């Protein structure tokens, strides 16, 4: 069974793998997740679509998405797209158990995880040097 730390590590590794990322409107290039978090502004709630649809083992996942505004005003997104089904399912299984245990909605849990990841990325050492 995964722990919260395992879940955060898996999500963070997936997100870091989405970089570098380029804003299609202003062509600003975000070299890393850290730079992206420093320069963009989070907007709204993270959206765990599959969990919200009560589909915790989706064969064709809609995905989980979080939005932020580029300094140019364009809305950028980071999503679970590209994550293997096996990994996505293990994260969703953890989320299903934890939402029940903590009395949180999937969205509340995901927002909590997002805040934790942001805090760790902005506070921690440079990525690429796992601490284990
Ligand atoms: Zn932009």
């Amino acid at each position: 069974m995964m722990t919260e730390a395992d879940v955060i590590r898996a999500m963070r590794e997936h997100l870091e793998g989405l970089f570098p990322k380029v804003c299609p409107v202003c062509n600003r290039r975000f070299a890393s997740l850290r730079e992206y978090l420093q320069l963009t502004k989070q907007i709204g709630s993270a959206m765990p679509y599959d969990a919200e649809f009560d589909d915790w083992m989706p064969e064709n996942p809609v995905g989980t998405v979080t939005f932020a505004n580029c300094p140019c005003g364009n809305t950028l997104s980071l999503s679970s797209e590209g994550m293997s089904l096996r990994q996505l399912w293990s994260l969703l299984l953890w989320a299903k158990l934890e939402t029940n245990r903590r009395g949180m909605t999937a969205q509340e849990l995901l927002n909590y995880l997002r805040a934790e990841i942001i805090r760790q990325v902005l506070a921690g050492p440079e990525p690429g040097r796992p601490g284990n």
Side-chain angles (χ1 to χ4, degrees):
M1 180 50 65
M2 300 180 95
T3 64
E4 180 180 306
D6 293 334
V7 168
I8 287 175
R9 190 177 309 118
M11 289 175 69
R12 181 175 169 176
E13 278 173 10
H14 170 76
L15 291 171
E16 283 173 344
L18 302 176
F19 291 86
K21 184 177 174 70
V22 176
C23 172
V25 173
C26 69
N27 289 321
R28 180 188 283 268
R29 183 177 180 279
F30 301 95
S32 64
L33 178 59
R34 173 188 286 238
E35 188 177 309
Y36 178 85
L37 293 174
Q38 285 168 339
L39 295 173
T40 64
K41 187 171 184 301
Q42 297 292 313
I43 48 173
S45 174
M47 297 302 295
Y49 291 113
D50 299 294
E52 292 280 302
F53 299 148
D54 204 26
D55 189 354
W56 302 88
M57 244 180 130
E59 293 284 345
N60 296 295
V62 182
T64 289
V65 184
T66 179
F67 299 99
N69 275 341
C70 181
C72 77
N74 183 41
T75 300
L76 300 169
S77 65
L78 298 179
S79 85
S80 59
E81 197 181 330
M83 190 178 273
S84 71
L85 274 187
R86 173 189 285 260
Q87 181 161 49
L88 187 68
W89 289 353
S90 55
L91 294 175
L92 283 167
L93 174 62
W94 179 86
K96 184 174 170 57
L97 297 171
E98 287 301 304
T99 50
N100 287 332
R101 194 173 70 81
R102 302 184 191 196
M104 295 169 96
T105 65
Q107 203 175 80
E108 286 167 347
L109 181 64
L110 185 62
N111 284 335
Y112 164 76
L113 294 171
R114 178 175 71 170
E116 274 300 298
I117 290 168
I118 290 173
R119 190 181 62 74
Q120 289 184 15
V121 168
L122 294 180
E126 289 296 326
R129 300 183 63 91
N132 51 14

